[in-house]
Each structure stands twice: as structure tokens, then as C-alpha cells.
Amino acid sequence: MLSNPFSPWKSALAPQTALDLASVHLENARKAKNSELALTFCKDAEKALARIKTSVRKTYVSSSRAEDRALCNEIATTYSELGELLDGLGSPTKAQACYKNEEKWGYAFKARVSNCTPML
């Protein structure tokens, strides 16, 4: 059973709810005046996205429905933006973890790789 987004961090959230909550935290991180506060908001965004159960993620990623694929792409993009922000705040290890999660959601990572021009 999915729960209230403001309940303890361990309870599961629906993907759209987790994305909405993570987006709020990510926006607050971008607006933060100091890096310590920004890192706290980034951590909260990561926790919100982590509340999506693995089995639910796998169901969405393997779905052929356009709505499910779009949601996966939004979540992957959010992980990418979070990784970029963390990298800019001097947390490359946490940024790499976000990029790995971006890969798990699939779509944004594939688009970024396909847009790269090979070096000859």
C-alpha cells in the first residue's frame, strides 16, 4: 500500500508522487543560498525518489505504454539534474550514484548517449 508523502522515509510512494516531491526538493536546492542547505535538499530529493519500490520501477521501465515511458523519462531526467547539481556542489560520488539511478530508469541516459558525436 502506498502512503502519504510526508510519512516516514521508509514507506513506499507511487512514482508520480515521488517525482513531484523530489522536484520540489530539487527546486529548493537550486534556490538555496548556501551549499550546505542545497546538499540537504538534494539528499531529500534522493530519498523521495528512493521510496519507489524496485518492483514498481521494473514494471514501469518494461512497460510499452507511452505514459509509463514518459514518467520513466521524467524520473531519469530528475536523477540527471540532481547528479549535475551534486557535482556542482562538490559531491561527485553522490552525483555518480544519481547517474547510475538515471540509467536504471533508462530513457534520458539513452537519449544523452545517442546525441553524442563519436570522436574520430
Side-chain angles (χ1 to χ4, degrees):
M1 182 175 175
L2 300 176
S3 65
N4 181 326
F6 301 106
S7 61
W9 286 114
K10 293 181 181 180
S11 60
L13 288 178
Q16 186 63 57
T17 304
L19 176 62
D20 293 343
L21 188 57
S23 295
V24 169
H25 290 306
L26 190 57
E27 187 60 33
N28 287 335
R30 287 187 190 111
K31 292 178 181 178
K33 300 280 187 216
N34 68 58
S35 60
E36 189 175 316
L37 183 58
L39 285 169
T40 300
F41 284 125
C42 287
K43 186 177 182 179
D44 291 344
E46 284 180 280
K47 286 181 179 180
L49 292 171
R51 290 172 65 184
I52 302 170
K53 287 187 172 189
T54 302
S55 60
V56 172
R57 177 185 48 82
K58 288 179 179 179
T59 299
Y60 273 78
V61 168
S62 65
S63 175
S64 60
R65 291 185 37 195
E67 298 86 9
D68 293 345
R69 294 179 66 107
L71 182 60
C72 288
N73 194 28
E74 288 180 60
I75 292 170
T77 300
T78 300
Y79 269 119
S80 176
E81 291 172 3
L82 184 56
E84 290 170 6
L85 186 55
L86 285 165
D87 216 6
L89 290 168
S91 294
T93 303
K94 290 182 180 183
Q96 287 303 315
C98 287
Y99 298 140
K100 286 181 182 179
N101 282 319
E102 175 191 7
E103 289 180 49
K104 290 178 183 178
W105 284 94
Y107 304 102
F109 179 77
K110 289 178 187 172
R112 185 173 2 146
V113 170
S114 66
N115 289 333
C116 292
T117 306
M119 297 183 72
L120 303 174

